[in-house]
């Protein structure tokens, strides 16, 4: 089981993720329509790309946009959560060793202290996101079981990873669960709303192009949208 | 009943049908028929499949339901922050549900969608600026309005409005004859005070072609005269077309996509016919959006540009003041606290935020201009946008919507509001009527006329050739 999950299954999952996300990107771009969207993408490409870059840049910068500044605490929670979520699995030493063993390459590693800290940030961040959904009526009304499930999927590999690392209970059991939840996490990037890992950039780029071309960009007005 | 006599899936295209629908006081029969109107679910679903591509589909799918859009919506704020007014909830409960059910919805659902699309959202696009994913609910509600219109679920006034555009090529029943007469009348009426004043009609190759909001022709002809006076003083070589002068588009509010195209093509035809160097539109927000920002796409112009450069009135006026073609008498500048209403349709939607402030710097004594908070592209809708002003059925909701602007204006301490947009102007007028607070409101034209320096040779002369 362990050998399968850390061997062939890794290939399968990575393949599905790469193909699946590429599919999302390609179908998104192909589905853009200057008439329906009312944005002249092609003739005004330069303005559009500038707008797209601006839009993405100011929204991946903590407090970079008016929207982020309007909710400073949520922004802190949001960015910590996402940094932990993306940074930890990529640079974790244990993952790197596995990468080295199978593919012969390795990325710069992070200290185990930092990895622990970031994992805790994800777990605690996830808890706050759940509490926020329950506490605020304006978020509660939007929330369905699916939204909770996504948080569970996102946080599970981190929680199980921490349990395994601290040797709470049976290490092998928790390691196995950690690997399974990791696979679920990766596959969910393709099959659930977690596809925003790529669609965020595309959606922002589209609105950025809209503003860069039509809604002021060509009038020389810079707006952070 | 599949289709009613007044409420049905066909847009109004004849004068008879228009008069018949108009004759139905407050749309009593119209709304009664609507309760019986069948939904063509197959057509609805096929339209969605053909027109809902990447942008809208992705927006519906990736919404993280984070609720960050809630506070951005002035209607959420003024309606006691009830969660049902959260933009994301509004669109998912309507368009989202429609898509989820693959168009298999009933009459009651469609009427609910109509209420929400026209009285819970003004398509001001403010929420789009607060969504991390860049989801613009205003765009989605405009789309929903289109679906509802095609199925006959549209407020009575907007069904009529769309019909007016299709029958009279204007949002009101102004015929070409009425229009030309009105312009001649206005030129005559003001010729004594402004010798040589003209409203040149159908002049070819002029520097400027001017287009207006039909309300001016119908109810405020002095607005046309004021524009003429300012062009006269600035020494512009200008003209107005006898056909294709109407720049507004109630079809845009109604969701009548085909009507939008027809209307904008009248104006573009006039541009092609008269070949002006550029076109100036009046002080109106949705007119500018319809003809200049969205219009090129309806007309199928891939570059997204009208046939000739087409500017908003504030751009023309700022240019005149900047270059000194219109000079302001410094002693006549506004010397009381004055604030400025940002129209969503050309500020948020085309970035014309600094140009209006540049105008304020010329016409207001330094220290008297007070900004609203928030302002520029983050300013709130006047409360009457998106057709809200004109729909009787939703008047109570509209009156609540005005409260946000009231709060903003009260906070500035100003009694005078400059509102270079017909809808904003109307909304602020109604605001004063509903909640009297001693407000005054004005377009830019009358303000500038009162404070400009008139060159001697344009002043009326008495018999001895002396100035009066």
């Amino acid at each position: 089981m362990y050998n399968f999950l850390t061997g062939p299954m890794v290939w399968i999952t990575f393949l599905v993720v790469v193909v699946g996300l590429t599919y999302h990107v390609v179908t998104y771009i192909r589905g853009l329509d200057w008439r329906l969207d009312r944005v002249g993408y092609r003739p005004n490409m330069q303005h559009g790309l500038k707008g797209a870059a601006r839009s993405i840049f100011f929204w991946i910068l903590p407090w970079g946009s008016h929207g982020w500044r309007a909710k400073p605490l949520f922004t802190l929670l949001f960015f910590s959560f996402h940094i932990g979520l993306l940074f930890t699995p990529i640079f974790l030493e244990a993952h790197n060793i596995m990468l080295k063993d199978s593919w012969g390459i390795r990325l710069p590693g992070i200290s185990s202290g930092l990895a622990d800290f970031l994992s805790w940030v994800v777990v605690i961040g996830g808890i706050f996101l759940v509490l926020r959904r329950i506490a605020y009526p304006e978020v509660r009304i939007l929330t369905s079981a699916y939204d909770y499930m996504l948080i569970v999927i996102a946080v599970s590999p981190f929680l199980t990873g921490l349990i395994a690392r601290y040797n709470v209970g049976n290490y092998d059991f928790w390691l196995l669960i950690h690997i399974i939840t990791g696979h679920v996490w990766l596959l969910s990037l393709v099959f659930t709303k977690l596809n925003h890992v790529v669609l965020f950039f595309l959606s922002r780029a589209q609105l950025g192009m809209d503003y860069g071309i039509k809604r002021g960009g060509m009038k020389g007005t810079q707006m952070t949208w | 009943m599949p289709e009613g006599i007044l409420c049905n899936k066909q847009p109004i295209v004849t004068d008879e049908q228009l008069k018949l629908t108009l004759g139905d006081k407050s749309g009593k029969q119209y709304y009664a028929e609507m309760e019986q109107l069948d939904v063509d679910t197959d057509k609805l679903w096929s339209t969605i499949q053909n027109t809902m591509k990447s942008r809208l589909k992705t927006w519906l799918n990736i919404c993280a339901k984070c609720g960050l859009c809630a506070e951005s919506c002035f209607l959420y704020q003024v309606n006691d922050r009830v969660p049902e007014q959260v933009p994301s909830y509004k669109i998912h409960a309507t368009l989202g549900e429609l898509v989820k059910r693959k168009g298999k919805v009933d009459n009651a659902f469609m009427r609910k969608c109509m209420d929400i699309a026209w009285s819970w959202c003004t398509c001001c696009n403010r929420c789009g600026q607060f969504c991390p994913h860049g989801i613009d609910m205003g765009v989605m509600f405009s789309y929903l309005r289109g679906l509802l219109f095609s199925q006959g679920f549209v407020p009575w006034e907007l069904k009529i409005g769309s019909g007016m555009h299709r029958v009279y090529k204007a949002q009101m029943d102004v015929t070409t004859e009425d229009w030309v007469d009105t312009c001649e009348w206005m030129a005559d009426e003001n010729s004594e005070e402004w010798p040589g004043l003209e409203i040149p009609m159908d002049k070819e190759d002029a520097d400027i072609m001017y287009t207006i909001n039909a309300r001016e022709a119908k109810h405020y002809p002095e607005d046309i005269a004021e524009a003429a006076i300012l062009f006269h003083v600035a020494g512009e070589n200008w003209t107005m077309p006898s056909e294709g002068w109407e720049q507004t588009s109630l079809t845009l509010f109604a969701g009548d996509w085909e009507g939008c195209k027809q209307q904008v093509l009248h104006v573009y035809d006039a541009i092609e016919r008269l070949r002006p160097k550029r076109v100036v539109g009046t002080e109106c927000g949705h007119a500018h959006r319809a003809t200049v920002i969205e219009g090129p796409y309806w007309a199928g112009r891939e570059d997204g540009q009208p046939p000739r450069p087409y500017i908003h009135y504030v751009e023309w006026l700022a240019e005149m003041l900047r270059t000194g073609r219109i000079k302001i008498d410094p002693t006549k500048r506004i010397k009381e606290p004055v604030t400025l209403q940002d129209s969503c349709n050309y500020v948020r939607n085309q970035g014309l935020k600094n140009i209006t402030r540049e105008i304020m710097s010329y016409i207001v004594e330094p220290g008297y201009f007070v900004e609203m908070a928030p302002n520029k592209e983050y300013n709130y809708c006047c409360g009457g946008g998106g057709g809200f002003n004109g729909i009787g059925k939703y008047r109570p909701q509209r009156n609540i919507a005005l409260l946000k602007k009231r709060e903003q204006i009260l906070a500035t301490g100003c009694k005078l509001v400059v509102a270079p947009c017909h809808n904003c102007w109307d909304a602020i007028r109604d605001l004063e009527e509903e909640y009297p607070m001693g407000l005054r409101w004005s377009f830019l034209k009358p303000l500038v006329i009162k404070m400009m320096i008139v060159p001697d040779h344009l002043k009326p002369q008495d018999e001895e050739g002396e100035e009066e």
Side-chain angles (χ1 to χ4, degrees):
Chain A
M1 184 74 169
Y2 175 86
N3 287 338
F4 173 73
L5 287 175
T6 54
M9 189 63 201
V10 173
W11 283 95
I12 295 168
T13 301
F14 275 32
L15 194 70
V16 170
V17 170
V18 170
V19 172
L21 292 182
T22 309
Y23 172 81
H24 280 308
V25 173
V26 172
T27 49
Y28 184 91
I29 294 171
R30 283 172 63 97
L32 290 174
D33 184 315
W34 69 271
R35 264 174 205 274
L36 293 173
D37 303 342
R38 300 199 295 277
V39 184
Y41 298 113
R42 216 177 281 274
N44 309 303
M45 193 54 86
Q46 216 181 332
H47 287 281
L49 291 178
K50 222 169 108 190
R54 262 183 80 80
S55 183
I56 293 170
F57 177 74
F58 284 109
W59 279 92
I60 58 170
L61 196 69
W63 302 287
S65 68
H66 198 91
W68 286 138
R69 288 192 292 275
K71 298 275 178 197
L73 280 179
F74 177 79
T75 304
L76 181 68
L77 172 67
F78 174 91
F79 275 93
S80 317
F81 183 72
H82 277 83
I83 288 168
L85 219 47
L86 295 174
F87 202 73
T88 323
I90 296 174
F91 298 110
L92 187 77
E93 197 57 33
H95 291 179
N96 262 312
I97 291 167
M98 291 171 74
L99 198 64
K100 181 101 201 293
D101 287 348
S102 49
W103 291 356
I105 53 164
R106 59 169 300 137
L107 298 165
I110 52 172
S111 70
S112 58
L114 181 59
D116 286 352
F117 171 76
L118 288 172
S119 300
W120 279 113
V121 165
V122 171
V123 174
I124 294 164
I127 293 169
F128 269 101
L129 286 178
V130 169
L131 291 177
R132 181 177 175 275
R133 287 201 177 273
I134 298 167
Y136 295 137
E138 75 270 25
V139 197
R140 194 162 61 228
I141 193 168
L142 296 169
T143 304
S144 64
Y146 181 61
D147 299 297
Y148 289 120
M149 187 191 80
L150 291 178
I151 296 177
V152 171
I153 289 175
V155 172
S156 295
F158 295 84
L159 185 64
T160 52
L162 283 171
I163 293 172
R165 147 145 179 72
Y166 291 130
N167 276 314
V168 185
N170 183 330
Y171 174 81
D172 289 340
F173 172 80
W174 285 108
L175 184 65
L176 200 62
I177 299 291
H178 170 70
I179 295 166
I180 293 169
T181 52
H183 279 290
V184 172
W185 192 95
L186 282 166
L187 291 170
S188 298
L189 297 182
V190 178
F191 299 106
T192 71
K193 214 185 270 187
L194 299 184
N195 59 20
H196 73 252
V197 68
V198 289
L199 289 176
F200 161 83
F201 293 94
L202 295 170
S203 177
R204 280 243 70 88
Q206 193 283 327
L207 197 68
M209 287 185 92
D210 189 338
Y211 272 86
I213 292 168
K214 186 175 71 174
R215 301 205 228 175
M218 287 173 72
K219 287 272 180 192
T221 315
Q222 301 292 346
M223 296 197 286
T224 308
W225 45 84
Chain B
M1 184 178 66
E3 306 230 8
I5 298 165
L6 304 178
C7 184
N8 49 48
K9 296 179 180 61
Q10 320 319 317
I12 295 174
V13 291
T14 65
D15 196 31
E16 269 175 304
Q17 185 71 13
L18 189 57
K19 293 213 166 86
L20 195 67
T21 315
L22 263 171
D24 174 28
K25 209 168 161 13
S26 309
K28 221 173 143 199
Q29 184 190 337
Y30 177 88
Y31 287 119
E33 286 179 8
M34 188 182 284
E35 289 182 24
Q36 308 297 323
L37 188 62
D38 279 347
V39 185
D40 184 346
T41 53
D42 292 338
K43 190 183 160 221
L44 192 55
W45 183 233
S46 72
T47 308
I48 290 174
Q49 282 177 306
N50 289 330
T51 55
M52 214 171 128
K53 300 282 165 79
S54 284
R55 178 157 88 152
L56 297 177
K57 214 155 88 181
T58 307
W59 280 351
L60 273 184
N61 288 337
I62 65 167
C63 172
K65 311 284 177 77
C66 65
L68 286 192
C69 54
E71 202 60 34
S72 73
C73 178
F74 78 109
L75 286 165
Y76 168 77
Q77 292 187 22
V78 295
N79 284 292
D80 301 324
R81 293 184 164 76
V82 292
E84 288 77 12
Q85 282 277 3
V86 173
S88 167
Y89 181 80
K90 288 188 264 199
I91 200 68
H92 284 279
T94 52
L95 181 63
E97 200 58 30
L98 197 55
V99 173
K100 208 189 281 175
R101 294 198 221 162
K102 297 193 189 315
K104 301 261 177 296
V105 293
D106 59 11
N107 177 294
F109 178 82
M110 291 296 269
R111 280 186 288 121
K112 175 188 139 180
C113 284
M114 179 181 87
D115 290 343
I116 296 177
W118 275 282
S119 75
W120 291 28
C121 177
T122 62
C123 303
C124 77
N125 304 98
R126 192 172 188 272
C127 52
Q129 297 179 298
F130 290 81
C131 171
H133 282 162
I135 301 171
D136 192 327
M137 255 67 69
V139 169
M140 287 206 273
F141 267 111
S142 295
Y143 176 75
L144 176 64
R145 287 180 178 197
L147 295 176
L148 294 166
F149 181 87
S150 70
Q151 295 282 331
F153 293 88
V154 56
W156 177 70
E157 289 86 349
L158 291 179
K159 175 98 179 186
I160 292 169
S162 137
M164 286 286 187
H165 280 285
R166 284 164 176 269
V167 176
Y168 289 96
K169 303 175 184 172
Q171 62 160 295
M172 290 174 173
D173 55 350
V174 183
T175 61
T176 303
E177 200 185 358
D178 291 342
W179 160 243
V180 174
D181 282 354
T182 304
C183 289
E184 280 172 7
W185 166 45
M186 276 299 117
D188 281 353
E189 180 99 350
N190 291 280
S191 61
E192 211 167 300
E193 198 184 342
W194 300 95
L197 183 78
E198 273 186 295
I199 301 188
M201 200 58 75
D202 287 332
K203 186 156 76 172
E204 295 182 357
D205 302 305
D207 290 340
I208 279 175
M209 181 181 108
Y210 182 57
T211 54
I212 65 157
N213 177 325
R215 298 172 67 78
E216 294 166 22
K218 183 88 175 175
H219 297 304
Y220 316 107
E222 62 276 13
D223 200 302
I224 302 171
E226 286 161 359
I229 291 164
L230 285 160
F231 286 138
H232 179 62
V233 170
E236 281 286 11
N237 171 19
W238 72 293
T239 189
M240 294 183 90
S242 57
E243 296 266 357
W245 51 271
E246 159 68 309
Q247 199 196 333
T248 72
S249 185
L250 286 189
T251 47
L252 163 68
F253 291 159
D256 176 6
W257 298 332
E258 188 53 38
C260 288
K261 179 180 177 178
Q262 287 177 17
Q263 180 57 46
V264 77
L265 284 177
H266 297 317
V267 183
Y268 289 180
D269 285 349
I271 299 175
E272 308 278 13
R273 192 173 71 244
L274 300 179
R275 302 176 306 276
K277 286 204 182 69
R278 53 183 183 164
V279 191
V280 179
T282 189
E283 291 178 63
C284 185
H286 95 270
H288 187 73
R289 186 163 177 191
T291 315
V292 184
I293 308 174
E294 314 278 359
Y297 298 100
W298 298 331
R301 302 181 63 90
E302 203 176 344
D303 63 353
Q305 301 298 317
R308 295 282 160 108
Y310 204 136
I311 58 175
H312 190 276
Y313 200 78
V314 294
E315 294 177 276
W316 178 81
L317 187 59
E319 186 184 309
M320 293 303 112
L321 293 167
R322 195 185 307 136
T323 55
R325 284 172 69 183
I326 293 177
K327 289 193 181 71
I328 298 293
D329 178 348
T331 63
K332 291 183 181 163
R333 297 210 283 199
I334 298 171
K335 290 184 191 63
E336 66 167 290
V338 56
T339 190
L340 171 72
Q341 165 62 7
D342 292 293
S343 157
C344 304
N345 280 328
Y346 64 84
V347 174
R348 177 150 43 251
N349 277 296
Q350 215 200 12
L352 298 181
K353 54 182 180 179
N354 295 327
I355 220 130
T356 45
R357 284 160 177 81
E358 185 188 346
I359 295 172
M360 296 303 273
S361 77
Y362 302 121
I363 66 172
V364 181
E365 188 77 5
Y368 286 96
F369 173 47
V370 187
E371 286 277 14
M372 282 184 202
N375 56 29
K376 300 182 178 173
E377 70 266 38
Y378 294 107
N379 208 330
Y380 291 105
C381 169
C382 57
F388 217 173
N389 270 342
I391 307 171
K393 183 176 167 65
Y394 302 133
R395 186 47 58 102
Q397 291 92 323
R398 201 289 310 260
N399 289 346
I400 293 171
L402 299 174
L403 287 170
K404 188 70 209 177
K405 196 52 63 186
R406 179 176 186 269
E407 182 190 311
Q408 280 185 289
I409 295 173
L410 276 175
T412 63
C414 298
K415 293 289 179 198
L416 178 61
V417 187
V418 171
C421 168
H422 268 269
N423 255 345
C424 300
W425 189 98
D426 284 356
I428 294 163
R429 175 201 61 200
D430 290 355
L431 171 62
E432 176 61 22
E433 196 179 297
E434 290 295 327
Y435 314 99
M437 51 197 266
L439 277 190
R440 283 166 291 119
W441 56 96
S442 181
F443 286 115
L444 285 163
K445 295 181 198 101
L447 288 175
V448 173
I449 287 178
K450 261 187 262 164
M451 59 180 83
M452 69 182 169
I453 299 170
V454 181
D456 288 344
H457 70 281
L458 296 179
K459 288 179 181 164
Q461 312 280 311
D462 65 12
E463 277 168 16
E464 283 92 42
E466 296 289 316
E467 282 175 32
E468 275 184 348

